[in-house]
């Protein structure tokens, strides 16, 4: 194979990469990706390998970088997921992505679950952790949900003058009455954390509602 043929083949693949970038918004091509009948993913991995070995032609390297190729594939993938997370946050008003959620064809929920697992195992890089927190990610979802419900309880108590929320009451779209009912069940079984119990009592929560009404 002569130089002209090799150059033409490279230019063809580069054109396919640009087409992919225009359609997908990034250059992180999956390893197995057929574009225009050619395996673009394998070709791109070869370019990364040549760059790592220092044998990639400087002009070609610049061409690839000019269209947004990230040489560190993992870093590039992380940036893609982060942009999707920000998109989700701006649309939904929070970053608690459901595990099954798919954003623009990408399993964003699964990815976020892995980030939380890495955080728990202390395997999450500090800068990456901060970036996710800046994007609104909450590491302990259950704790954050409890705090959110507690704020709704305070709001109800300040408005109504008591904290005996009816079981069917909904506050700002949240089933506050059911939440409080479940907490009463946990308290009755001795399974409610004492610090949480005290916070609820400080806001006027009565555990035995019927007894309180009788008195």
């Amino acid at each position: 194979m002569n130089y002209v043929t090799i150059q033409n083949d490279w230019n063809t693949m580069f054109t396919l990469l640009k087409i992919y970038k225009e359609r997908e918004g990034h250059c992180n091509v999956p390893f197995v990706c057929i574009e225009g009948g050619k395996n673009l993913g394998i070709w791109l991995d070869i370019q990364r390998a040549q760059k790592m070995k220092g044998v990639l032609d400087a002009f070609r390297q610049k061409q690839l970088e000019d269209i947004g190729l990230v040489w560190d594939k993992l870093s590039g993938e992380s940036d893609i997921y982060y942009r999707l997370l920000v998109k989700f946050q701006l649309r939904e008003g929070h970053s608690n992505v459901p595990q099954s959620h798919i954003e623009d064809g990408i399993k964003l929920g699964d990815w976020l679950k892995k980030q939380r697992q890495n955080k728990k195992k202390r395997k999450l890089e500090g800068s990456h952790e901060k970036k996710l927190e800046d994007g609104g990610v909450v590491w302990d979802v259950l704790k954050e949900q409890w705090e959110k419900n507690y704020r709704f309880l305070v709001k109800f108590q300040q408005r109504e003058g008591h904290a005996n929320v009816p079981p069917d009451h909904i506050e700002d779209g949240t089933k506050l009455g059911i939440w409080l009912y479940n907490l009463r069940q946990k308290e009755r079984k001795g399974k409610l954390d004492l610090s949480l119990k005290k916070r609820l009592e400080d806001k006027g929560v009565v555990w035995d509602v019927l007894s309180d009404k009788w008195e």
Side-chain angles (χ1 to χ4, degrees):
M1 186 178 292
N2 60 40
Y3 174 81
V4 174
T5 303
I6 293 172
Q7 183 63 29
N8 287 340
D9 285 348
W10 196 93
N11 289 338
T12 298
M13 297 305 291
F14 182 68
T15 299
L16 292 175
L17 179 60
K18 288 194 290 185
I19 291 170
Y20 180 94
K21 163 76 183 298
E22 288 174 7
R23 184 182 68 243
E24 304 295 334
H26 62 83
C27 294
N28 266 352
V29 183
F31 182 71
V32 181
C33 174
I34 306 299
E35 188 78 31
K38 297 182 181 293
N39 199 319
L40 184 61
I42 290 178
W43 174 82
L44 191 55
D45 266 28
I46 291 171
Q47 308 311 303
R48 284 192 169 103
Q50 289 183 347
K51 162 75 165 56
M52 194 176 294
K53 294 174 184 176
V55 296
L56 182 63
D57 179 83
F59 179 69
R60 290 179 176 177
Q61 179 177 327
K62 186 176 185 307
Q63 282 184 284
L64 291 166
E65 290 171 352
D66 285 347
I67 66 166
L69 179 65
V70 177
W71 295 110
D72 184 340
K73 191 174 182 180
L74 290 178
S75 174
E77 287 178 351
S78 178
D79 286 342
I80 291 168
Y81 281 108
Y82 183 74
R83 286 197 296 271
L84 292 175
L85 178 66
V86 171
K87 179 180 178 182
F88 178 94
Q89 195 273 340
L90 290 172
R91 183 181 68 242
E92 303 296 332
H94 64 84
S95 297
N96 288 332
V97 185
Q99 187 180 338
S100 60
H101 181 74
I102 294 175
E103 188 81 19
D104 291 350
I106 291 177
K107 295 179 178 179
L108 184 62
D110 278 345
W111 174 80
L112 188 55
K113 180 186 176 184
K114 288 175 184 174
Q115 308 314 301
R116 287 194 172 107
Q117 289 172 341
N118 287 338
K119 158 77 171 170
K120 199 170 185 179
K121 296 174 184 175
R122 298 184 179 180
K123 291 182 178 180
L124 199 62
E125 187 180 317
S127 59
H128 183 52
E129 181 179 332
K130 186 179 184 307
K131 191 173 182 180
L132 290 170
E133 289 173 351
D134 289 344
V137 170
V138 174
W139 300 114
D140 190 335
V141 182
L142 292 178
K143 181 180 178 182
E144 175 64 18
Q145 187 60 55
W146 197 95
E147 293 294 342
K148 180 181 177 182
N149 289 340
Y150 181 77
R151 290 193 293 270
F152 284 140
L153 176 66
V154 172
K155 180 181 177 182
F156 177 94
Q157 191 272 340
Q158 289 175 343
R159 183 181 68 241
E160 304 295 333
H162 64 85
N164 288 332
V165 185
D168 60 349
H169 180 74
I170 295 175
E171 188 82 18
D172 289 350
T174 295
K175 294 178 179 179
L176 187 62
I178 291 177
W179 176 74
L180 188 55
Y181 172 82
N182 290 335
L183 290 176
R184 285 194 173 106
Q185 295 302 306
K186 290 180 82 172
E187 195 276 334
R188 189 173 299 162
K189 295 173 184 176
K191 293 182 178 180
L192 185 62
D193 182 275
L194 291 177
S195 64
L196 300 181
K197 181 179 178 180
K198 184 178 185 309
R199 288 178 66 189
L200 292 165
E201 290 173 347
D202 286 347
K203 293 303 173 186
V205 170
V206 176
W207 301 112
D208 189 339
V209 183
L210 292 177
S211 174
D212 183 65
K213 285 182 177 178
W214 177 257
E215 292 175 3

